[in-house]
Amino acid sequence: MPHMTDERVRAGMTREEDLSLLHEVSMKTAGVSHLEMCIQCGTCGGSCPVAQAMDHTPRMLFAMLRAGMRDEVLRSNTMWLCVSCYHCVVRCPQEVHIADVMYTLKSMAIQAKLYTDSTAPDFSQTFIDMIKMFGRSYEMGLASRHYLRHFPLRLPGMLPMGYGMLTKGRMSMIPKKIKHMDQLKKIMARAKQLELTS
Amino acid sequence: MTANTKPKFAMYWAASCGGCEIAVLNTHEKILDVDANFEVVFWPVAMDAKYKDVEAMEDGSILLTLFNGGIRNDENEHIAKLLRQKSKILVSFGSCACEGCIPGLANLSPVEEIVHTAFNTLTTDNPHEIYPRTTFDVPEGELHIPILSKVLRPLDQVVDVDYYMPGCPPESHQIAAVIDLVIKVVNGEAELPPKGSVIGVGNSTVCDECPRTRNVKMIKAFKRIQDIAPLDPTLCILEQGIPCNGPATRSGCNARCPQAGAQCIGCYGPAEGVMDYGARLITAFSSVIDATTPEEIDRILDGIPDPTGQVYRFNLAGSLLKASQSAWKVK
Amino acid sequence: MSDKRSSPVDKKLERVGVYVCHCGSNIAGTVDVVDVTKWAQEKLGHLGVVITREYKFMCSSLGQELIEKDIKELGLTRVVVAACSPHLHEKTFRTAAKNAGLNPYLVELASIREQVSWVHTDKAVATAKAKAVVAGAVSRVIENVALDEIKVPINPNTLIVGGGIAGIQSALEIANAGFHVYLVEREPSIGGHMAQFDKTFPTLDCSACILTPRMVEVGTHPNITLLTWSDVVNVSGYVGNFHVTINKKARFVNEELCTGCGICQEKCPKKVIDEVYEAGLGYRKAVYTPFAQAVPNFPVMDKENCTYFIKGTCKACEKFCPTGAIDFKQEDQLIHIDVGNIVLATGYDLFDARRVSNYGYGRLPNVFTSLEFERLSNAAGPTTGNIVLRDGKTTPKSVGIIHCVGSRDKNFNNYCSVICCMQGLKFAHLVHERTGATVYNFYIDMRTAYKAYDEFYQRVLEEGTLFVRGKVAEVTNAARYENEKGKLIIQVEDTLAGKQRRIPVDMVILSSGLQPRHDAKEVGKLFGISCSTDGWFTEKHPKLDPVATMTEGIYIVGCAQGPKDIPSSVAQGAAASARVLDKILQREVTLEPIKATVDQAKCSGCKICNGMCPFNAITFIADDNVSEINPALCQGCGTCVAACPAGAISGTGFSDAQIIAQIDGLLLRNLEPELA
Amino acid sequence: MNKYLFYPGCSMESSGKAYGDSIHAIVEPLDLDFEEIDDWNCCGATEYLGINLIPAYSLIARNLALAAKQMNGTHTVVAPCSACYLNLAKADYYMQERPTLGEKVNEALAAGDLQYKPGTLDVRHLIDILVYDVGLEKIRSKVVRPLHGLKVVPYMGCMLPRPDYQHRWSDHEHPTELDDLLRALGADVIDYPLTTECCGGHMTQIGPETAFELIRRLIADADERGAHLMATVCPMCQMNIDAYQHETNGFFGTHYHMPVLFFTQLMGLAFGKEPDELGIGLELVSSRNALANIGIEVPITQEPAGPRKKDEGLPMPRRWTKHEGKEAVK
Amino acid sequence: MTENFEPTIIGFTCNWCSYRAADLAGTARMKYAPNVRLVRMMCSGRLDPTFVLRALSGGADGVMITGCHPGECHYIEQNYKALRRFLLLRRVLKGLGIEPERVKLVWASAAEGARFASETTAFVEEIRKLGPLAWGNPDHRPPTMEDIESSVVSRPPSEMEVIV
């Protein structure tokens, strides 16, 4: 299905198409999103510990979803800043699963390649790659790959920390691996297929 | 056969156990009144007679026919139609003819299954799996045995019936009273009740005749009678948690079973005007349940292991649904 | 057994008229009305349908005349009108039948608008369904029987439960009309929540100034028996004839001797936090009248806190009472009264703001509830009207007022509490006027939808109150920046600016919502009325019958029925009184003839139905071993009819025969005569 | 009642080693039997949910399926890490709320000959077990070295009390479980309004400036309230506040020194265990000075503010607890 | 065969809640499946199991029983009685080989027009999946919307069919 351009949205395009975006997000979200119930009260934006840094508050994002502004929503940094603290979720008077909607928007943005800063998606992907390789997270591998790529300038300042972590045995040079990697791989492969067909 | 001016009497036994016939004989001396006042023209269990003889009779020439048993095969159906044709008054006699009774419970199963059960189960020694055939060629010609229908039907689902006399079997004192009445009618001393009436019964339900004490019932568990010992001899049986069919069952038996310390199982069928006996019992049993959550109600209902058999033991063939899905679905 | 047996042989055919309404295009737009009419004539003729007509608007006077004319000229004995829902026009067509000399209960409505044309789109399918609905109605109407309305005499006395403004209004209306009222109040004084308020919106009248005269009038009215510190403990009977038992709790003060001088309160050494009248913000004594203008002015003794009752010594009150009115031996007293009607004005509880823990009430001292603020700003309150922080002395320089606390929130109450917006605006005005502080109001939607309400909003805007559209996320004392230190910080998304804001203030007022009384369910059960999912008492009809309930003779007024402001409560109080007076003046009441009866010949006395009736309409007559239904108590639900295992109970209006016939009709089993 | 299935989570072996060590030290005195789920895998933290739906939930559900297989005598899974706890609880809950999700996840699990019926397990956090199953009374009875004089800020973090699918916690915003537990150890517990605020989570990795601000808020407020140290229940919180404190100070030009320990380490100390047994010293912001307060047994110098005298001002309403009936504070 | 199958369903409604919910659905012009034909009663407590049996034996493929939410009955508690009957009735039907899902109990208050509409549509789909009930005659479909046009209801043929 071709995406509506933002110009067309501004020109007030058809309602059916608008709602399809809201519906799509809702369907891709774990649990029942209740997205259509939003009353734009701003509890989420008020609760968010990182709202100041967001392009749009979550509330605004939901309004934009209703308006069918696909590209603008997926280009927003809002979901990438979400720290999953669930303050908005428990306070939302309409029981919208806000944090899970943010996860959905991240995955949609990745698929549409519409994110503006690759740090977060890369970090997630690297993290997942480690798990897929070992079944467990591998902080040393993750940190070295991630920092070299995205924060080379932070490295000098972080040296004491990295050194401390290593010497105190809080970071291991060798990854831990689970026994049944084959089983996990089969599950993940099937899951991936199911994701594509859904 | 000598000419006889006495009114003619017939009795027939279709799909039933024969208990009704015994009940008639159990009226003791009263049976002599039958002989004194009627000419018995057809009563296979008591005298020899051929279907041909009946076929030869004039239509409407039999004054009174007591028909017991349900209609299970083509022979039953043929005789039912024949006796209808020949009788002035056709009485559906006993629970089987009225509402199917125990033979009617066969309507829970498809007919092949019934035949299979009868001829090929552990209790039947049939190593070659021989099943009866409806036709068989012999040198003398072709032999026939009656063909089973897919469900058992009460008499009135096959022919028009004048009166109903329920009970498994009808109580002998009720039979005697009915015989008296018919004799009085014959002698012009009384009038017949309106067509379609249920005769030989009370107006109400078994509780009316039951001497046990009754309170408003609130039941936390249904039990089977063997699980309660001893049963309170004076208190309502349903109140003690045993599903007793008395509240929904026609009176007339003097509450025999409850008086003897057992729950009513419902052989006298539904009360006057009731369309579905099982529905009345469903509502009776659910009314006494003391619970409001579906889980708790379900737990209590688990105490009735065979709800369908419980509420339709005598009445399945005469109920609104008449038989189970599997019986109907037989091609 | 076969149902042939139960149906009478050769029933005489009724003469049925079928009228199909176009309702303009409301029905005709989706249902082929002409086709339905023709079809009914052809396929249902054998049932006795002698005339079928279609008409643009059956409910118009011309449409009604059409039916009346046919009844008279064609001798119709049954009428089916296929039109809208019976809840709309059943009465119209019944009246038309009555005018033409046909018993009104021989008319049946087939709903082909609400249930067919408005909910389906395919014309063929809708037309087919309309035919089935008409076939059902025709079969049913043939089984209808002529019914007569039932009349019951009315006791002219009335019970009013709850002495808040709604109950007071209701009591005065009836008493002034010359009829006797029993007013029962569970607190020591009447007055209710309104007595706690300082000012009332939008006119800012002093609450006490307008309420007190009414309270006094109740206290002195010859037609009002006032029973405070009392609870209704039992109710039986039915409309016109209720029997009520009231528990008058021991006051430990002899009302005959007490002059209300107040010396006992002055001398009592025990100080107790007043959780009720002062909303926990002030103190009272163990023997007390809740406030100076209390009606009646007799104190009550709080047994739980009285030193004498706890330790066995003290009796200071007794020693100083000039008339010897203190009576430590007084006991609870049961009073039995008979009344014809009952008005429930039991009011509301304030939402417990502690449940919204992110607003910090109960944790952060300077967060106040609306009721606390009412007491704080009230000249008769604990601070003599000074608006100060919880330290009791500091005047706030900035105040935040938060709307929708506990309301419009699925985590708490999912409804709008109606009064909070105006209450928040009132608070803004009072704070501004008394302290000159900067005032912020935080709201989701500003709801000021009554006479002079929005004007008040504008007035508060003019006064300089700052409005922030956004539901407050949290109130915290964790300062993030220097200017926040020592303050309460209100964190909110200013949704109109699209930015998160942190606003430091000295004081926060929570405009808490209203919720049903904690014991509303039990009270409902006592009086035989039901509660909605939210817990408010359910009215008979939300629009057309808002003060009556499903139980004849019981009315609900004020916040017991749902959140509302003072004008609406007063209006409801008066409205219920009009309904009560209407009943009293009729001397007898007409009941719908939908009733159950026991055929005693068939009844076996199995006692299954006796437990079925929540209205205690079924009694067992031991001598005859049968049950009997009191038609005045029977509400016509039909549960016992369905429950009777002997089929001995029948119900008018919705008989087995009617319903079975309708099922057969709906399934089109009635299109040709059943063959034997 | 004292046997549980145990899901340690990845950090227990690395950055949160001190947590693992101290849990190990307190399990025995409290008669707890923790059986590790065999061959558990990483729950994906907060990373996978934002990439793919079905794979993310399948990854989590493998652990649930393994645990369900291992059930004998208990159906409770204990997770000491808040993120693991939330992920496991969330998968269990959403597989039920959205049956289509449940079906797909099970289809994926079937590829590895596993399956999980949502609702089979109770997923609970360690502190939930300690407060509600073990009970404060029992914990109090094991205290041999009360932490009198140690001013602790209880820091619950965000993912533990929220979204709270099974209504296990006393409150979403200001839960009292950690406060009560620390008080049972004898510590001077400071009322910490930020107890469930976020530590920055993975923002230390992807948006450090945002994360530094969140960390600053937490340590600044704790410092302001005179805390000797912070007690936490989550390895991620500990890692962020501890390991990035230096960088945060550098970023804002501040000089905070706020040690952060796992609550289990404090329990171990109160139970009389030796610091090295409890992983004390593994933290980057040293707790040596803070712990000196117990080492030298400073008498209680400051009584907590007593109830306000009536005439001082207006009375306060009683505090609200959702679990008023539940046996939490004896 | 089930693809083109249009179920016939009888719905029993309570005068105070679900019938009003149906009215409300109408007033709000909500669209729902046209397969349910309603019978109004004063209360779900009036529901006699006979009515359900009559409907099922008379050609209905399913029966929807609707009443006020538990605790909200206009007659205080009669809907609980309906619930008990319903639960026992379903057990009896199961014994007769009728899928218990063919009889459904739905709570809907007078304000829940949308719920009434969506529950109705959902139930129609559930019954569509189960296929025709065609009680007493497997070859005979109950009258559908189209059949009403032709309006001749074929009676079940004789049950006397040769077997064995």
Side-chain angles (χ1 to χ4, degrees), chain B residues 10-29:
Chain B
M11 186 156 182
Y12 185 71
W13 170 357
S16 60
C17 69
C20 289
E21 318 265 341
I22 309 289
V24 171
L25 294 176
N26 213 18
T27 55
H28 305 294
E29 301 82 39

Side-chain angles (χ1 to χ4, degrees), chain D residues 72-286:
Chain D
N72 55 347
T74 179
H75 60 282
T76 305
V77 172
V78 182
C81 166
S82 300
C84 303
Y85 158 76
L86 174 57
N87 271 348
L88 295 172
K90 186 183 230 180
D92 183 52
Y93 184 78
Y94 280 159
M95 282 172 75
Q96 232 163 357
E97 195 186 66
R98 273 277 288 275
T100 45
L101 176 72
E103 282 160 24
K104 285 203 168 160
V105 167
N106 264 313
E107 219 180 309
L109 289 177
D113 287 326
L114 290 174
Q115 57 130 343
Y116 178 69
K117 185 172 169 279
T120 309
L121 296 165
D122 261 351
V123 179
R124 295 172 64 187
H125 187 270
L126 178 64
I127 191 170
D128 177 12
I129 302 292
L130 294 177
V131 172
Y132 293 113
D133 284 8
V134 175
L136 297 176
E137 206 48 54
K138 180 155 186 182
I139 291 172
R140 214 173 278 127
S141 74
K142 301 287 173 194
V143 173
V144 296
R145 183 163 56 192
L147 308 180
H148 293 316
L150 187 66
K151 292 189 189 169
V152 189
V153 149
Y155 179 52
M156 277 283 257
C158 54
M159 286 187 187
L160 187 54
R162 293 189 294 266
D164 193 13
Y165 298 111
Q166 306 297 344
H167 310 288
R168 299 196 191 283
W169 306 101
S170 56
D171 190 42
H172 296 143
E173 311 269 353
H174 300 279
T176 55
E177 280 82 359
L178 184 57
D179 302 46
D180 296 339
L181 193 146
L182 293 171
R183 232 171 252 129
L185 304 179
D188 288 356
V189 180
I190 292 169
D191 190 12
Y192 186 46
L194 302 182
T195 184
T196 64
E197 292 293 320
C198 178
C199 67
H202 69 177
M203 293 312 278
T204 44
Q205 316 300 315
I206 59 175
E209 294 177 14
T210 308
F212 295 157
E213 165 61 13
L214 297 183
I215 294 168
R216 182 194 72 84
R217 287 175 199 168
L218 293 171
I219 52 180
D221 196 73
D223 189 70
E224 176 83 20
R225 285 165 206 277
H228 294 141
L229 55 78
M230 293 172 82
T232 182
V233 301
C234 169
M236 166 96 91
C237 299
Q238 202 277 342
M239 168 85 178
N240 275 352
I241 300 169
D242 183 39
Y244 292 90
Q245 204 171 112
H246 177 75
E247 240 187 314
T248 303
N249 273 328
F251 186 77
F252 291 104
T254 50
H255 302 283
Y256 292 112
H257 181 92
M258 182 55 61
V260 51
L261 294 182
F262 292 102
F263 75 109
T264 44
Q265 291 178 292
L266 296 177
M267 285 179 78
L269 287 176
F271 291 177
K273 305 274 176 192
E274 289 313 310
D276 58 343
E277 207 184 328
L278 302 165
I280 290 175
L282 293 182
E283 71 280 359
L284 301 187
V285 178
S286 167

Side-chain angles (χ1 to χ4, degrees), chain C residues 43 85 87 656 664 666, chain E residues 15 23 37 46 54 72 151:
Chain C
K43 306 294 182 189
S85 163
H87 288 142
D656 285 355
D664 289 355
L666 289 173
Chain E
N15 182 55
D23 275 359
R37 303 169 196 170
R46 177 66 183 91
R54 180 71 170 198
E72 282 181 37
S151 81

Side-chain angles (χ1 to χ4, degrees), chain A residues 8 75 88 97 142 188:
Chain A
R8 285 176 65 202
R75 271 198 202 104
C88 53
H97 288 356
L142 175 65
M188 298 316 288

Side-chain angles (χ1 to χ4, degrees), chain C residues 313-332:
Chain C
T313 57
C314 179
K315 292 200 175 181
C317 49
E318 194 182 52
K319 272 175 226 141
F320 288 97
C321 178
T323 59
I326 302 289
D327 176 5
F328 287 105
K329 295 210 172 67
Q330 211 177 60
E331 283 179 359
D332 291 5

